[in-house]
Amino acid sequence: MTSITVNPAAGRIGAEIGGVDISRPLDAETINAILKALDEWKVVIFRNQQLDHASQIAFGRQFGELTYGHPHHEPPKDAPEIYTIQHRRFEKQLGGDSTKKDRSYAYAGNNSWHTDLTPFINPPAGAILRAEELPAYGGDTQYTNLVAAYQGLSEPFKRFVDTLRADHRYGANWNGMPRPSVAGFDRRIQENPLISHHPVVRVHPRTGEKALYVNPIYTDHIVGVSPIESRLILGYLFDEIARPEYTVRFRWAPGTVIFWDNRATCHIPPRDIDHLDVARKLHRVTLVGEVPVGPDGLESERIEGPRLGSEPVFNTTFFKRPETVA
């Protein structure tokens, strides 16, 4: 019998899993126990683990097929499934003319609540992130429960949003306000458009739960309504997603690994270390997902771009690996 423990970290989201060494192959019972905890708590954290690229990839593969590291960033050598997230990653490439705010936007790809890679027709099912280098303080990651956010809506509003579809794309600008512009990154996005129309409410394929499926980084507008109506609807939903009672904040430490359900959560990168001269380096593997389905039983619609899978999706030049940046 498995000896793992599951200890909730917050009222509606997040749990710490103990009693398991995830650097080793897991038996079916342990895998099922982890998935059960993930279904209930949406994001789980493992402490004091010893993983490298190979063992992180092996751990992830026990839960499904892995994607190529990232559609827009070159992976580490000999580990195409890895996406490395590094503080001030592109500072040298972007040069002295870009502001610190612009560079910050480029390192993370965003700076607000988001569900990973929703412009794809089949966004990731989940992701596993491990820490390699960490600052002495700051740099926490927060997650929010999109099922709880949906459940908190009034019944009439639930019935309304159940009927809606939203446009997801790189470079989304849901509120029409000026957004950071980084020439190289923006050009790559323009050359490789990714656009999908997803249900605003997604039905989870394992649990059957309904979850809000919009986020302020990738959702551009509600389909079929006026611009002002779209801004009002999305603004309200984004406020609901960010309500503190639906969130958990995890402090990173050496050996920390976080596994989240990308169908039912948003997360936000740290916004408290851009002014600090610190190192923060993490590595992610990502699980290939299925096409979302709404409460009406209809699937998402692909507007532009390829599916997400284990091979690179674009042929143009990547942003370079962090280790190539002096």
Side-chain angles (χ1 to χ4, degrees):
M1 296 290 291
T2 182
S3 60
I4 75 169
T5 59
V6 179
N7 297 306
R12 285 189 170 94
I13 182 173
E16 294 205 13
I17 292 183
V20 60
D21 178 358
I22 64 173
S23 70
R24 299 174 179 271
L26 305 178
D27 58 45
E29 186 178 6
T30 300
I31 291 171
N32 288 335
I34 292 171
L35 286 173
K36 181 179 178 181
L38 194 66
D39 285 344
E40 182 174 3
W41 295 104
K42 315 309 179 196
V43 54
V44 295
I45 186 168
F46 304 86
R47 300 287 191 185
N48 302 313
Q49 302 292 323
Q50 300 298 319
L51 297 183
D52 56 14
H53 287 343
S55 54
Q56 182 180 7
I57 291 167
F59 173 66
R61 282 182 175 153
Q62 295 173 98
F63 298 90
E65 182 186 2
L66 298 182
T67 73
Y68 192 81
H70 194 281
H72 292 300
H73 303 290
E74 187 177 15
K77 187 178 181 181
D78 301 325
E81 300 87 350
I82 294 287
Y83 168 44
T84 296
I85 301 163
Q86 187 168 2
H87 187 49
R88 298 189 174 169
R89 177 177 177 178
F90 300 116
E91 189 161 304
K92 185 176 179 64
Q93 289 170 263
L94 294 172
D97 293 338
S98 60
T99 67
K100 184 176 288 188
K101 183 177 181 181
D102 289 341
R103 293 194 297 267
S104 174
Y105 185 86
Y107 320 141
N110 55 71
N111 65 346
S112 188
W113 289 106
H114 65 284
T115 298
D116 285 334
L117 301 178
T118 60
F120 282 97
I121 185 62
N122 61 324
I128 300 160
L129 187 64
R130 69 177 169 94
E132 179 181 331
E133 270 187 286
L134 295 167
Y137 55 89
D140 298 352
T141 304
Q142 292 178 264
Y143 296 84
T144 190
N145 183 339
L146 299 180
V147 172
Y150 174 80
Q151 292 172 345
L153 302 176
S154 68
E155 290 303 319
F157 202 73
K158 286 179 186 174
R159 291 193 293 271
F160 172 59
V161 295
D162 280 351
T163 68
L164 300 178
R165 298 260 155 167
D167 178 286
H168 292 241
R169 63 180 67 203
Y170 268 90
N173 190 17
W174 72 272
N175 61 11
M177 298 295 289
R179 54 183 291 275
S181 177
V182 182
F185 196 76
D186 286 354
R187 185 172 59 253
R188 179 172 171 81
I189 290 169
Q190 291 165 5
E191 292 171 352
N192 300 280
L194 276 173
I195 306 171
S196 294
H197 288 176
H198 295 305
V200 168
V201 178
R202 179 180 185 175
V203 178
H204 195 285
R206 276 206 309 269
T207 68
E209 295 173 307
K210 293 181 180 181
L212 291 179
Y213 203 64
V214 291
N215 66 87
I217 289 299
Y218 294 128
T219 305
D220 187 75
H221 62 272
I222 301 294
V223 176
V225 305
S226 71
I228 185 62
E229 289 170 332
S230 178
R231 288 194 294 270
L232 290 170
I233 295 165
L234 289 175
Y236 174 69
L237 293 178
F238 296 156
D239 285 346
E240 289 299 295
I241 286 169
R243 284 175 61 167
E245 58 265 39
Y246 302 147
T247 68
V248 65
R249 180 173 183 144
F250 282 126
R251 177 81 175 115
W252 290 95
T256 294
V257 177
I258 298 180
F259 185 179
W260 67 90
D261 186 334
N262 199 60
R263 308 172 180 114
T265 62
C266 280
H267 57 280
I268 190 169
R271 301 171 74 172
D272 63 339
I273 58 172
D274 284 343
H275 64 296
L276 301 175
D277 186 16
V278 297
R280 183 181 185 270
K281 186 176 184 181
L282 306 99
H283 306 285
R284 189 184 80 193
V285 296
T286 308
L287 294 164
V288 174
E290 62 289 303
V291 177
V293 176
D296 56 8
L298 298 179
E299 292 186 340
S300 299
E301 180 184 3
R302 177 167 56 181
I303 306 302
E304 278 194 89
R307 290 177 66 93
L308 183 64
S310 59
E311 299 296 325
V313 293
F314 301 129
N315 294 321
T316 54
T317 303
F318 285 103
F319 278 108
K320 295 300 181 182
R321 293 188 302 269
E323 51 264 43
T324 68
V325 180

